[in-house]
Amino acid sequence: MSNALVFLLALSFANVIATILINWIFGILRVHEDLKPIVLLVNMFISFLYYTLWTMMYFLYHFLENYNTTLKYQAKINEIKLNQLRSQLNPHFIFNALNSVRALVDENPPKSKEAITQLSNILRYSLIMDKKRTIDFGDEIKIVRDYLDLETIRFEERLKVNFDIEEEAYHYKIPPMMLQTIVENAIKHGISNRMKGGLIEIKCSIGLAGDLYLLVKNSGQLKGGVGRKNDGSGHGVSNTMQRLRLIYGSKASFKMKNFDAEFVLTEIKIPKQSIKLD
Amino acid sequence: MRALVIDDERLARKELINLLSGISDVEVVGEAMNVDDAKEKIAELNPDVIFLDIQMPEKTGFDLLAELEAVPKVVFTTAYDEFALKAFEVNALDYLLKPIEPERLTEAIAKLKSQADTGNDDSNEKTVESGDPKLSLKDQVFVKDGDKCWFVKLENVRLFESDGNYIKVYFDNNKPMIHKSLNALDERLDEKAFFRASRKHIINLSWVEGIEPWFNGGLVVTLKGGDRIEVSRRQAARFKDMMSL
């Protein structure tokens, strides 16, 4: 800033000198009047004002132009970010499911056929829905059901599942693979890391203000802070939060807390949808 | 070869046992569904090889290995654990990806057999509970330090150094720390192979290259690779006794 001021002063000074020189060369320099300190000072002040104004205009123009471009690209960047945050199916799940199915072929052929269909549903869904911003609630819940059916084959009596879904929820649109990711997390911490396994409860209901609440309750307890880096779930949680913010701004929310001494509750609030988001 | 299958999922165990039943050299002697179960079964059945799932509830397969004193041959089974398998830098130990390819399984068994034939280290059968035999140079131990894991033959360990509540295990260019006291370790090591040089050090005698007198009647031992370890005066006498027959 002070550099710019010095530069402007130097420029004004040079301007005054140049005026005097030009006047002198053309012989119109009135020595007595033009070289008076007060005249010089006024001249200098005027050129200073002129250059300052000019510089300000210049910077303002560039600032506005930058601002415009920023706005234009912000939307694009959001889109790219959303793509990066897109949750993917856990490969661990896919191969474990395939392994269970392989064993199931001998033990229970009809069930293994069903399991193959369910697995291909999930794979297709995760490939296709990936490109959409939001999808019908019904599509997501169907995939969650297929997913939990497959995990039941794997964990057997260690996994108990409970659904409680309001009819009204099917009129909503939600981000794809979001509930699925939460349920996957619940399986990891509530079931597969516990010898006795546990219970997963999924409840979807409409709040008084018309917002959709997606609630996932799983056995287990949060230890330390949510979003620890070391177990990979922290990544999933922060991804989910960022996705919600990019799609719904501050109208959506994500909470994860100990429900009581035995359960962890994850809650996603999806705002009431009067406008179409796609 | 007597095998123990360790996996928390019943169907995964069933699948592997099913595959192993087609291989004539292997007899599945038992199955375990978690780390504690596995520890008991290993003590009881003394298997030649364990098929070990990495992801299990509460304790992982790595935890099991870290808890065992002498480790049988291990074949890891895992669905998708790039990260976990990368942990094994040094050793060429085997792992199978689930669902397991029958050909890969046959290969892994063949590899185990050839190792057993050349290594002929099956002479010193090791059980953890009964008899409490000492750990000899041929035994392998499992060392886990943070994210990295190693299987180390004790003959490759040149030095144990105590550091607070931990022991630094020196082998190759690594010195990972294990949570154990030097005294406890000293009791478990074969005294013909390892020597307690001082309060801080246990050295592998087969790595000793040079011995020089030191102040106060002590000694300084130079190990292959250049580590110089001081032997305390009290131990120096024992050391001379041992080395001079």
Side-chain angles (χ1 to χ4, degrees):
Chain A
M1 196 59 210
S2 70
N3 271 351
L5 205 67
V6 168
F7 180 70
L8 283 174
L9 279 171
L11 209 61
S12 331
F13 186 70
N15 195 66
V16 171
I17 300 293
T19 318
I20 292 171
L21 279 177
I22 289 167
N23 285 356
W24 178 66
I25 288 166
F26 286 95
I28 51 172
L29 184 74
R30 291 163 297 169
V31 180
H32 291 294
E33 285 171 33
D34 287 354
L35 294 185
K36 267 186 192 165
I38 182 79
V39 175
L40 286 177
L41 217 62
V42 168
N43 275 346
M44 184 155 159
F45 183 65
I46 289 169
S47 36
F48 177 75
L49 276 185
Y50 171 78
Y51 284 123
T52 311
L53 207 66
W54 192 84
T55 316
M56 274 169 66
M57 293 283 278
Y58 176 84
F59 278 115
L60 197 68
Y61 172 76
H62 275 268
F63 174 74
L64 285 178
E65 199 179 58
N66 261 341
Y67 184 67
N68 254 343
T69 344
T70 313
L71 275 187
K72 223 184 289 170
Y73 282 108
Q74 196 63 49
K76 193 77 201 156
I77 289 166
N78 274 0
E79 202 59 36
I80 293 167
K81 267 194 201 154
L82 263 179
N83 280 331
Q84 284 171 346
L85 292 171
R86 200 122 287 172
S87 22
Q88 284 176 336
L89 214 52
N90 182 356
H92 207 268
F93 155 71
I94 299 170
F95 293 112
N96 270 317
L98 282 168
N99 195 44
S100 311
V101 171
R102 203 166 190 267
L104 206 63
V105 169
D106 298 324
E107 192 173 296
N108 189 342
K111 201 170 173 190
S112 61
K113 281 189 184 179
E114 195 192 333
I116 290 171
T117 310
Q118 285 169 331
L119 187 57
S120 66
N121 279 347
I122 295 176
L123 290 176
R124 185 176 297 115
Y125 178 85
S126 77
L127 289 174
I128 294 171
M129 293 310 170
D130 228 25
K131 293 172 186 65
K132 302 196 176 169
R133 202 174 157 90
T134 57
I135 43 107
D136 289 338
F137 172 81
D139 291 339
E140 176 90 358
I141 205 76
K142 183 176 179 304
I143 285 313
V144 171
R145 280 182 197 276
D146 281 347
Y147 170 76
L148 285 171
D149 277 350
L150 284 167
E151 292 291 52
T152 311
I153 291 173
R154 196 178 141 205
F155 292 113
E156 302 188 295
E157 72 291 339
R158 278 165 65 200
L159 170 60
K160 302 224 162 30
V161 180
N162 211 342
F163 277 97
D164 176 11
I165 289 157
E166 270 180 34
E167 258 326 292
E168 187 62 22
Y170 288 92
H171 300 305
Y172 282 74
K173 279 181 169 281
I174 57 175
M177 299 294 286
M178 189 174 274
L179 184 59
Q180 164 66 25
T181 309
I182 303 297
V183 173
E184 250 180 63
N185 238 347
I187 287 278
K188 186 179 168 204
H189 296 281
I191 311 297
S192 74
N193 281 353
R194 293 159 58 89
M195 276 188 207
K196 286 192 222 77
L199 171 73
I200 288 187
E201 222 172 86
I202 295 165
K203 188 174 153 84
C204 303
S205 61
I206 315 298
L208 288 175
D211 300 326
L212 172 65
Y213 286 88
L214 307 172
L215 304 167
V216 177
K217 205 166 102 180
N218 65 271
S219 305
Q221 287 287 291
L222 288 175
K223 290 182 203 88
V226 178
R228 284 167 303 152
K229 284 256 163 75
N230 54 359
D231 57 1
S233 78
H235 192 58
V237 166
S238 76
N239 259 14
T240 305
M241 290 204 225
Q242 281 189 60
R243 278 180 80 193
L244 283 171
R245 199 169 52 238
L246 286 171
I247 299 174
Y248 301 109
S250 60
K251 290 198 204 92
S253 71
F254 177 94
K255 282 179 206 150
M256 198 177 202
K257 60 179 184 223
N258 286 330
F259 180 77
D260 52 26
E262 274 165 55
F263 290 96
V264 174
L265 181 71
T266 310
E267 177 198 287
I268 296 179
K269 183 179 88 177
I270 305 280
K272 187 180 180 179
Q273 289 157 11
S274 45
I275 36 152
K276 288 208 81 167
L277 281 153
D278 282 77
Chain B
M1 222 180 309
R2 302 168 72 251
L4 178 70
V5 173
I6 306 166
D7 196 310
D8 59 315
E9 294 163 31
R10 183 188 64 88
L11 282 170
R13 291 196 301 273
K14 186 182 174 188
E15 170 65 13
L16 180 53
I17 290 170
N18 204 1
L19 286 169
L20 285 170
S21 69
I23 298 173
S24 55
D25 305 323
V26 180
E27 177 203 356
V28 178
V29 292
E31 41 185 306
M33 55 190 290
N34 57 51
V35 167
D36 296 331
D37 190 12
K39 266 170 75 180
E40 279 173 33
K41 296 265 167 65
I42 289 171
E44 179 191 331
L45 301 166
N46 191 23
D48 302 312
V49 55
I50 56 177
F51 289 86
L52 180 59
D53 183 25
I54 295 171
Q55 292 288 337
M56 285 189 289
E58 286 163 43
K59 288 180 187 168
T60 68
F62 294 138
D63 294 331
L64 170 67
L65 296 181
E67 285 180 25
L68 290 176
E69 297 223 295
V71 181
K73 293 205 167 59
V74 178
V75 177
F76 285 109
T77 62
T78 181
Y80 183 86
D81 272 298
E82 255 188 311
F83 178 73
L85 292 168
K86 263 188 205 148
F88 285 87
E89 294 218 313
V90 184
N91 6 37
L93 69 95
D94 223 341
Y95 65 92
L96 298 167
L97 290 172
K98 295 190 269 191
I100 296 163
E101 253 183 277
E103 294 80 29
R104 272 285 291 125
L105 181 62
T106 317
E107 263 175 48
I109 301 286
K111 212 158 120 189
L112 282 177
K113 275 194 67 182
S114 70
Q115 275 172 16
D117 293 344
T118 53
N120 69 349
D121 54 352
D122 285 0
S123 50
N124 45 6
E125 287 287 84
K126 55 249 165 182
T127 38
V128 183
E129 305 294 312
S130 61
D132 233 25
K134 301 260 172 165
L135 295 170
S136 78
L137 288 174
K138 291 288 177 202
D139 279 310
Q140 57 176 348
V141 291
F142 177 82
V143 183
K144 184 166 179 270
D145 187 19
D147 291 335
K148 284 189 184 172
C149 311
W150 295 268
F151 270 112
V152 200
K153 280 237 162 108
L154 281 176
E155 62 189 355
N156 295 327
V157 177
R158 57 183 183 274
L159 175 67
F160 295 99
E161 180 181 42
S162 100
D163 185 351
N165 291 326
Y166 291 84
I167 302 176
K168 276 190 197 156
V169 182
Y170 286 74
F171 59 93
D172 302 331
N173 288 321
N174 307 299
K175 40 179 178 179
M177 310 246 266
I178 53 174
H179 188 79
K180 213 171 205 174
S181 85
L182 205 62
N183 285 335
L185 180 71
D186 193 24
E187 278 171 26
R188 299 286 300 121
L189 290 169
D190 181 4
E191 63 269 14
K192 288 189 208 75
F194 289 91
F195 182 74
R196 180 73 181 258
S198 64
R199 268 188 316 122
K200 277 193 69 119
H201 295 108
I202 296 178
I203 55 173
N204 184 335
L205 291 173
S206 56
W207 279 75
V208 172
E209 203 172 46
I211 304 166
E212 298 157 41
W214 202 242
F215 302 110
N216 295 330
L219 292 171
V220 162
V221 171
T222 310
L223 300 177
K224 284 174 215 160
D227 296 305
R228 286 166 65 84
I229 308 300
E230 208 174 315
V231 181
S232 65
R233 190 162 51 119
R234 220 184 62 164
Q235 291 299 83
R238 277 193 59 207
F239 189 66
K240 281 179 200 152
D241 275 354
M242 280 185 76
M243 297 309 264
S244 61
L245 297 173

